[in-house]
Amino acid sequence: MKSYEMLYVLENSLEDSAKEELTAKFENIVTTMGGTVASTDKWGTKKLAYPINYKNDGYYVLMTFEAQPAVVKELDRVAGITDGVIRRMITVKA
């Protein structure tokens, strides 16, 4: 298994409970497909570099995990269709 990092930005207007649910949802995808989550670092609210959908702030979360490539595809697919996710990026950790 390879190590990956997933950085995603959630809408800042979401309730704290909704942010926690989305974070748990992504962690759950990794664990149910046989991967392990090393850490989830919640960076909190930060100003976006440029407005996205007329929003200037976002809630940043960095998740580090080990998994098979199929897990990465599933995470990217689910994050892409989940309401509340503004942007996401998954990279191989060197």
Side-chain angles (χ1 to χ4, degrees):
M1 289 194 290
K2 289 185 177 180
S3 293
Y4 295 94
E5 288 183 334
M6 176 179 177
L7 178 65
Y8 54 98
V9 183
L10 302 175
E11 289 183 12
N12 197 37
S13 61
L14 292 173
E15 296 287 327
D16 289 339
S17 60
K19 292 174 186 173
E20 291 295 325
E21 287 175 13
L22 287 175
T23 302
K25 177 181 179 178
F26 295 136
E27 289 176 352
N28 192 27
I29 290 171
V30 173
T31 55
T32 56
M33 294 184 72
T36 57
V37 176
S39 67
T40 301
D41 190 12
K42 298 171 184 144
W43 293 355
T45 302
K46 303 239 183 247
K47 186 165 176 51
L48 298 173
Y50 53 90
I52 301 172
N53 296 334
Y54 304 103
K55 294 173 178 52
N56 294 316
D57 298 327
Y59 186 82
Y60 285 72
V61 181
L62 177 68
M63 180 174 68
T64 306
F65 62 97
E66 290 184 3
Q68 298 294 333
V71 177
V72 174
K73 282 186 171 183
E74 180 65 11
L75 264 178
D76 192 43
R77 184 190 72 79
V78 171
I81 61 174
T82 301
D83 290 336
V85 177
I86 298 174
R87 289 282 190 271
R88 81 261 185 217
M89 180 174 62
I90 303 173
T91 57
V92 177
K93 189 174 178 185

